[in-house]
Amino acid sequence: MTERIQCIREGCTNTILPATAAKTGGYCMPCKQEMEREERQRYTEANRRDVNLYAGIIDPVEILKIMHEPQVRDPLIRYVPYEQSKEQVYLSLSVEQQDQMKDYAMQRIRTGDEDTGKDILVYLVCYHDISLTAEIPELLEQEIYYPSILYKSASGEARDHLLQQVNTDDEKRNHILLMLAHISDDVVVQQFRQWRQSPPSWTSELYVAPEHYTNEAGWELTKDGQRRELFITPSYSLYKVKENEGASVESFGDSFSLLTPSANCCPWCGSALTTLISLDVKHPALNDVSWHAQQLQIQTCVICSSYGVVYMEMDAAGEPLWSSHNVMHVGMNEIDLDDYGKLAQDAGRQFQIATSSRHAFHASEWAMEPSLSQVGGHPGWVQDAEYPTCPGCSTRMKAVAQLDWGEIEEYGEGMYYMFLCEPCQMTAVSYQQS
């Protein structure tokens, strides 16, 4: 048997064959490979350079073009990020610059870069509610059926084309129904009403009835066939204050607060309930909300509502009250509170509510990574749209706010969605994560 040799690297106990030692200079292969990795890392760190693709560029259109261009991966290059987020740059666009970006998006689509082109159009539609009426025929010609929000501004001619196609196109029917739901004009509403009354033969191939597709666009057909919005407007961003700005609770007084711990505990898991948001009913975001208290308070158990919907009622003093309609969800008997951290005491004080409103669909496309926390506006669903049903009156509850938990905790994720039923003066909270 050939005698094995000790690896010469200090601290290593491996032994190697003489032939291996001759090739590696006396090191075992794991040590040799580790030393080579360390050498490459030292070389990379010593020779890496910063590259600022935005140097000298002030035109936001050109800046966005760079942002949408994939960066060449090179370990010796460290790209300097732009001083503003993509969302901020898009919001700074003038009307003329929006049109320039729209033209650029269509150019990318024509040259085969469909994904980039669609992304740009979605940003423009969500952040600026830009019309794509003139572009939609070409999008249809290119067989672009997703994201369906691109079709909000479809012409009557494009709408009628889709209403015919949905009856024959088995492959794209799901997308077409979503597109029609976003168009949502009187003709479309009438058609969904007719499908409810006389379901076409192809409905048997769907997972849900055609009328449920409207929920993805933020509305529903009522029992008497009328269109009803499922979220409140206008929309106001809830944004995290930068460290150098400092949070100012005093500027809002008692009119607005986030993530306030309650003295009451969850009947299920025993943890303290949390008032996700408390907002003066006179705030413009709640102009169209009928609430019988000075503050709209949406309270929940942040642990239990991540398992399913948690409802709260309102007592005579206008304070949140655990609802008797709550039903414990599957798996909750296995909750260990030690697995859940406690919120930082100042977590809510780090946030402010924007002073001006934004477009209702600003945060609707979760995957585009907009600023998601908001009061009012179309929800940014991480999964499918799920508006809870009020246990008091069996009506779908309206979305009123949402909190991006990734902004709340260092390792947080997912979204808490808040809803209300005005006739029953009841709130609900649900949760989704990717």
Side-chain angles (χ1 to χ4, degrees), residues 202-214:
W202 46 258
T203 57
S204 61
E205 301 171 13
L206 304 174
Y207 289 106
V208 296
E211 66 188 83
H212 292 305
Y213 282 78
T214 64

Side-chain angles (χ1 to χ4, degrees), residues 244-355:
N244 57 357
E245 292 179 353
S248 175
V249 180
E250 291 75 20
S251 62
F252 295 99
D254 295 328
S255 65
F256 165 75
S257 63
L258 281 183
L259 304 170
T260 306
S262 169
N264 299 321
C265 293
C266 173
W268 292 342
C269 72
S271 65
L273 296 176
T274 301
T275 302
L276 295 180
I277 187 169
S278 176
L279 184 63
D280 193 314
V281 295
K282 295 179 181 178
H283 189 279
L286 305 179
N287 274 346
D288 296 329
V289 174
S290 176
W291 202 250
H292 306 161
Q294 292 184 342
Q295 295 281 125
L296 171 63
Q297 299 182 68
I298 301 184
Q299 193 174 99
T300 193
C301 171
V302 295
I303 295 175
C304 295
S305 55
S306 66
Y307 286 80
V309 180
V310 169
Y311 298 96
M312 300 291 286
E313 300 175 20
M314 189 169 63
D315 66 17
E319 295 295 318
L321 179 69
W322 185 268
S323 175
S324 59
H325 294 286
N326 282 320
V327 177
M328 188 177 289
H329 310 291
V330 176
M332 295 188 55
N333 56 342
E334 300 174 1
I335 289 178
D336 185 350
L337 294 182
D338 292 336
D339 294 336
Y340 298 87
K342 291 186 177 181
L343 279 175
Q345 291 186 348
D346 65 342
R349 294 196 292 271
Q350 299 177 42
F351 286 81
Q352 292 187 3
I353 187 168
T355 56

Side-chain angles (χ1 to χ4, degrees), residues 85-281:
S85 68
K86 188 181 291 183
E87 177 185 29
Q88 290 172 318
V89 180
Y90 265 103
L91 290 174
S92 74
L93 295 177
S94 66
V95 173
E96 181 181 357
Q97 290 166 338
Q98 293 169 35
D99 286 337
Q100 291 176 24
M101 285 303 299
K102 180 169 65 172
D103 292 341
Y104 178 66
M106 296 306 295
Q107 177 187 337
R108 296 297 292 257
I109 290 172
R110 293 181 192 115
T111 56
D113 189 1
E114 183 179 299
D115 290 340
T116 299
K118 289 193 301 183
D119 286 350
I120 294 171
L121 293 178
V122 169
Y123 282 120
L124 292 170
V125 169
C126 291
Y127 294 162
H128 292 286
D129 199 24
I130 194 169
S131 172
L132 298 179
T133 304
E135 289 71 30
I136 284 173
E138 185 173 352
L139 296 179
L140 288 172
E141 186 179 336
Q142 296 278 354
E143 296 191 346
I144 294 174
Y145 292 84
Y146 182 84
S148 54
I149 194 172
L150 297 178
Y151 288 82
K152 278 173 78 263
S153 55
S155 65
E157 184 178 354
R159 174 205 65 211
D160 292 344
H161 170 79
L162 292 170
L163 285 171
Q164 292 178 357
Q165 186 179 356
V166 74
N167 289 311
T168 59
D169 196 332
D170 296 343
E171 181 182 351
K172 299 183 178 67
R173 183 170 291 122
N174 276 293
H175 288 312
I176 296 171
L177 287 169
L178 290 171
M179 293 155 70
L180 290 168
H182 275 96
I183 294 171
S184 67
D185 61 11
D186 291 343
V187 174
V188 168
V189 173
Q190 169 63 26
Q191 183 62 78
F192 275 105
R193 186 186 305 126
Q194 184 177 333
W195 283 332
R196 175 200 276 176
Q197 295 169 348
S198 303
S201 59
W202 46 258
T203 57
S204 61
E205 301 171 13
L206 304 174
Y207 289 106
V208 296
E211 66 188 83
H212 292 305
Y213 282 78
T214 64
N215 295 175
E216 296 292 335
W219 60 282
E220 69 170 350
L221 278 180
T222 60
K223 292 180 180 178
D224 58 357
Q226 301 302 308
R227 171 183 169 145
R228 174 176 176 262
E229 297 292 342
L230 290 175
F231 59 90
I232 68 167
T233 55
S235 173
Y236 287 81
S237 171
L238 300 173
Y239 65 95
K240 200 167 189 177
V241 180
K242 296 180 180 178
E243 291 183 9
N244 57 357
E245 292 179 353
S248 175
V249 180
E250 291 75 20
S251 62
F252 295 99
D254 295 328
S255 65
F256 165 75
S257 63
L258 281 183
L259 304 170
T260 306
S262 169
N264 299 321
C265 293
C266 173
W268 292 342
C269 72
S271 65
L273 296 176
T274 301
T275 302
L276 295 180
I277 187 169
S278 176
L279 184 63
D280 193 314
V281 295

